[in-house]
Amino acid sequence: MHIDKYAFSDYALLVGECIVPILTVRNLPDETHRALRHRAAEHGRSTEAEVRSILEEAVRPAKRLKIGTELFRIGQEVGGMDDLEIPGDRSEIRRADFE
């Protein structure tokens, strides 16, 4: 796979063959930055890792509805689908992992 390293916008970085998004936060008050550093130290991680954790929880909370898990629960509730007739070769069929 050929990647032109000059084709990216200013919010991505080429690391090996992966494009890594970059987020810059401007005008962060000193008090907020100090609070982030303190919180990161309490959790034993860098300020950057703490910000990633905060953002991840904000946009993808642990208690969010996971559609695959919910569909599996509904399937179990109605008796499962183990006896479902599937024509053809079933050797390639695997259970999906939605976690």
Side-chain angles (χ1 to χ4, degrees):
M1 174 172 138
H2 173 70
I3 299 176
D4 180 359
K5 67 179 179 178
Y6 300 105
F8 304 116
S9 64
D10 62 351
Y11 58 87
L13 175 68
L14 179 63
V15 177
E17 296 228 353
C18 298
I19 299 172
V20 180
I22 297 173
L23 174 67
T24 301
V25 179
R26 298 187 195 322
N27 303 318
L28 187 66
D30 288 339
E31 184 177 323
T32 303
H33 187 247
R34 278 192 301 275
L36 279 169
R37 285 194 337 250
H38 178 72
R39 180 176 163 152
E42 286 179 339
H43 292 130
R45 52 187 167 214
S46 69
T47 304
E48 183 178 335
E50 186 67 21
V51 170
R52 275 194 305 269
S53 176
I54 292 167
L55 290 172
E56 182 74 19
E57 181 58 33
V59 299
R60 298 180 57 194
K63 294 181 181 178
R64 74 187 183 278
L65 175 65
K66 297 177 182 176
I67 191 69
T69 302
E70 187 64 12
L71 288 172
F72 179 76
R73 186 195 63 75
I74 292 168
Q76 295 298 90
E77 196 174 279
V78 297
M81 298 177 60
D82 291 337
D83 56 353
L84 182 65
E85 290 293 325
I86 300 175
D89 180 17
R90 295 182 65 166
S91 64
E92 296 295 317
I93 298 174
R94 292 181 303 278
R95 181 177 176 168
D97 179 15
F98 295 106
E99 295 300 322

